[in-house]
Amino acid sequence: MTQTIGEALVRRLEAHGVDTIFGIPGVHTVELYRGLAASPIRHVTPRHEQGAGFMADGYARASGKPGVALVITGPGLTNTLTPMAQARADSVPMLVVSGVNVLSSLGKGLGHLHELPNQSALAATVALDSTRVTTADSLAGVVDRAFARMAEGRPGPTHIEVPLDVAGQAHDSPMLAPPASCPPMASLDQITAAADLLRHAERLVILVGGGATAAAEDIRKLAERLDAPVVLTTNARGHMHGHPLVIPASPSLPPVRQLIEGADCVLAIATELGQTDYDMEFTGALPKFPNLIRMDICAEQLDRHPADLALHGAASTGVAALLVALEDHDAEGQGGAKLARDTREQAFASLTAKQQTHVGFLDAARDVLPNALMVGDSTQLIYAGNLYYDHDRPGGWFNAATGYGALGYGIPAAIGAALACPETRVLCITGDGGAQFVLPELMTAVDEKLPVIFLVWNNCGYGEIASAMEDAEVEVIGCDPTPPDFEKAAASCGIPYALSAEEPTVLAETLRIAADIQGPSMIEIRTAKMTRKTEPSQ
């Protein structure tokens, strides 16, 4: 029998290496589901389309491959826009496939079910590319274009929509193998010029961003060859764990900013140089970057923050090329390790006592769960870790507290990460506020039998926001939502629950118990509310 366009779409996704799809079926996507039953692609059902998007995000960050969400037209697509925006901010490859109403009705306001004035244009406000399949002949090209956009430049979300009356049409067009992706590479002249600057630098500092995960081992070799301190942004944590040259601290912290500004050359690798990494205090100014050499896969990023020397290319090929160009160079003994150690100590000392305690929790979790994926939401433990924390797996520490900053990210993203890396332990760190955004997604972890440990940091409200309102001399309003009974919530999902006291040693023992559980489990840490200058209104 001739396959339909919906079935051919599934085959094309298979050809691009897709093995997992997150989606909630609906009448507008029935034909897109037709080919899934006979496909090796695993379908995972979240409880909300926002969960589908965040699961796709977590899957992509953990696997290095695009995450895929399949949603209905209208509310399905709009519910996915928040995850798409987070993926855009953090350069995460994500493909969202949606249905849409029949071609003849689009843009006419006829009152059709799930109708939007212009769904593709709406998606394009956050997607790198938003394209519609209109014929069988166009299908392969549309899918290939979406994957190319995610692979050949700065990654991010893409969107494909398939009209209701197109999805069921016959597809008998031949489909060749997808073309190989061609990421940009810095030119030999650029590499040579950069190597010459690096060779003569006496106070070099290397900045590493989330786009450098694939180059982790070569970055270590390059840092050692240049004897240069390496500053890690949030999404780069896990590089060079425990190494004498690593500084696993936010470049927003004053000691780290001083290190950067005191350099005579800065090499920035696959980092956006954005506010939520380099200016967390919102001073309005990034650090000064003396003699900046910037390597980035995105030409637009290079234009947004011009460098003294720009290397347009992927980190994996660019760092490897620098190693070759500096093969005969050895800067050992220039004091890089001492400078890194001093900066680490000063950076940690600049944290508050409470933040240092929170880092202690993270260190305890890392030591009990080596090589784990730690996936976080916007909550106090994560805020502290983004300021200072040395993870032990490149790409193994990520959260939504930087970039777009979407609350409710942690639980579904951890589920996506666990599906991407089934042999790896996943620890989700979420607050009571963020957990309430997406609590039903716990059932997805139960359905899929995923060994995710959900750590809920419960301070009974939006403590950080309340503090910010007080600092601004604004009466605290809306920051005291009553949290659910998490023990009963876990029990209703069939999830083992444990209560941990507010100290790292007890958390470590509780994590050891949870690590032996085959499926999901929950640990709750109940903390006192943050000290208020005024009591909340009743």
Side-chain angles (χ1 to χ4, degrees):
M1 293 179 61
T2 301
Q3 64 181 343
T4 65
I5 288 178
E7 290 172 306
L9 172 64
V10 173
R11 302 286 88 76
R12 199 60 177 175
L13 294 177
E14 290 175 13
H16 279 279
V18 174
D19 57 24
T20 306
I21 284 177
F22 304 94
I24 301 176
V27 294
H28 284 70
T29 53
V30 168
E31 285 298 333
L32 302 183
Y33 273 78
R34 186 182 294 278
L36 279 175
S39 170
I41 294 176
R42 179 180 190 171
H43 182 273
V44 177
T45 306
R47 300 314 192 254
H48 190 280
E49 288 92 356
Q50 178 172 286
F54 284 144
M55 288 177 194
D57 178 300
Y59 175 94
R61 297 199 206 209
S63 69
K65 303 191 303 182
V68 180
L70 177 55
V71 301
I72 65 166
T73 186
L77 188 280
T78 54
N79 286 340
T80 317
L81 287 176
T82 294
M84 292 173 72
Q86 184 71 51
R88 180 66 178 262
D90 284 349
S91 304
V92 177
M94 174 197 299
L95 171 61
V96 176
V97 179
S98 75
V100 73
N101 286 308
V102 296
L103 268 173
S104 61
S105 73
L106 298 183
K108 296 182 178 178
L110 301 176
H112 286 206
L113 180 65
H114 302 328
E115 186 176 52
L116 282 168
N118 190 334
Q119 179 174 278
S120 184
L122 179 62
T125 61
V126 290
L128 298 173
D129 189 66
S130 180
T131 314
R132 180 182 302 148
V133 176
T134 56
T135 65
D137 289 343
S138 70
L139 173 66
V142 167
V143 176
D144 294 349
R145 170 176 164 173
F147 279 88
R149 288 300 305 270
M150 293 185 284
E152 296 178 1
R154 184 184 183 190
T158 56
H159 169 243
I160 296 172
E161 64 179 18
V162 186
L164 193 59
D165 55 336
V166 171
Q169 291 178 13
H171 184 288
D172 52 12
S173 301
M175 291 195 293
L176 302 176
S181 60
C182 298
M185 294 179 61
S187 70
L188 180 59
D189 287 346
Q190 290 175 324
I191 293 294
T192 301
D196 188 57
L197 289 173
L198 295 172
R199 187 177 286 109
H200 291 92
E202 296 180 356
R203 297 186 309 280
L204 172 66
V205 174
I206 300 175
L207 310 177
V208 178
T213 300
E217 182 60 21
D218 280 346
I219 287 173
R220 178 190 62 78
K221 294 177 182 177
L222 182 65
E224 291 173 347
R225 189 165 296 175
L226 295 167
D227 194 28
V230 177
V231 177
L232 305 177
T233 64
T234 295
N235 287 325
R237 298 295 170 78
H239 286 251
M240 298 172 61
H241 169 63
H243 197 284
L245 289 170
V246 77
I247 302 171
S250 169
S252 292
L253 292 174
V256 185
R257 289 176 70 104
Q258 291 167 14
L259 172 75
I260 295 169
E261 294 185 342
D264 63 355
C265 182
V266 174
L267 171 61
I269 304 172
T271 174
E272 185 183 28
L273 301 180
Q275 182 188 59
T276 54
D277 272 315
Y278 291 87
D279 185 25
M280 283 187 182
E281 297 299 321
F282 306 115
T283 66
L286 301 182
K288 296 181 177 64
F289 304 106
N291 292 320
L292 177 62
I293 304 170
R294 192 173 182 199
M295 180 186 299
D296 204 282
I297 198 170
C298 179
E300 293 177 353
Q301 278 297 320
L302 294 172
D303 289 339
R304 288 182 189 127
H305 193 111
D308 296 278
L309 177 59
L311 308 179
H312 182 209
S316 56
T317 55
V319 176
L322 283 176
L323 277 173
V324 173
L326 291 164
E327 190 172 11
D328 59 348
H329 183 68
D330 183 2
E332 186 178 357
Q334 286 195 356
K338 182 182 184 303
L339 196 54
R341 183 193 66 216
D342 292 346
T343 305
R344 283 196 302 270
E345 293 174 353
Q346 293 164 15
F348 186 77
S350 73
L351 304 180
T352 66
K354 181 174 287 188
Q355 289 168 339
Q356 291 178 356
T357 299
H358 293 168
V359 174
F361 277 101
L362 298 173
D363 289 342
R366 177 200 61 219
D367 294 343
V368 173
L369 305 172
N371 205 40
L373 293 167
M374 291 193 186
V375 184
D377 220 321
S378 293
T379 192
Q380 288 178 319
L381 280 185
I382 295 299
Y383 295 145
N386 284 351
L387 287 173
Y388 190 105
Y389 170 61
D390 189 10
H391 197 53
D392 62 353
R393 177 192 181 108
W397 168 269
F398 58 86
N399 55 76
T402 61
Y404 192 60
L407 200 57
Y409 172 88
I411 289 176
I415 290 170
L419 286 159
C421 301
E423 304 304 318
T424 301
R425 177 62 68 175
V426 177
L427 176 64
C428 171
I429 302 173
T430 183
D432 57 296
Q436 291 182 75
F437 275 49
V438 289
L439 205 56
E441 302 301 352
L442 291 175
M443 288 307 303
T444 308
V446 172
D447 286 349
E448 301 297 328
K449 301 178 175 61
L450 300 175
V452 180
I453 301 173
F454 296 100
L455 175 60
V456 180
W457 184 266
N458 185 0
N459 60 6
C460 299
Y462 302 138
E464 295 287 342
I465 304 303
S467 180
M469 294 176 79
E470 288 185 330
D471 290 344
E473 299 183 349
V474 173
E475 182 179 353
V476 176
I477 296 174
C479 293
D480 298 279
T482 301
D485 184 322
F486 285 103
E487 181 175 7
K488 291 180 179 177
S492 72
C493 298
I495 293 178
Y497 166 91
L499 179 65
S500 177
E502 194 182 354
E503 56 182 78
T505 55
V506 179
L507 173 62
E509 184 57 37
T510 310
L511 284 169
R512 289 188 186 95
I513 296 170
D516 290 333
I517 296 172
Q518 295 301 308
S521 59
M522 179 183 289
I523 296 173
E524 180 183 3
I525 299 180
R526 296 177 188 167
T527 75
K529 282 191 175 185
M530 295 183 70
T531 302
R532 301 282 183 85
K533 297 173 184 175
T534 57
E535 289 299 314
S537 301
Q538 300 297 318

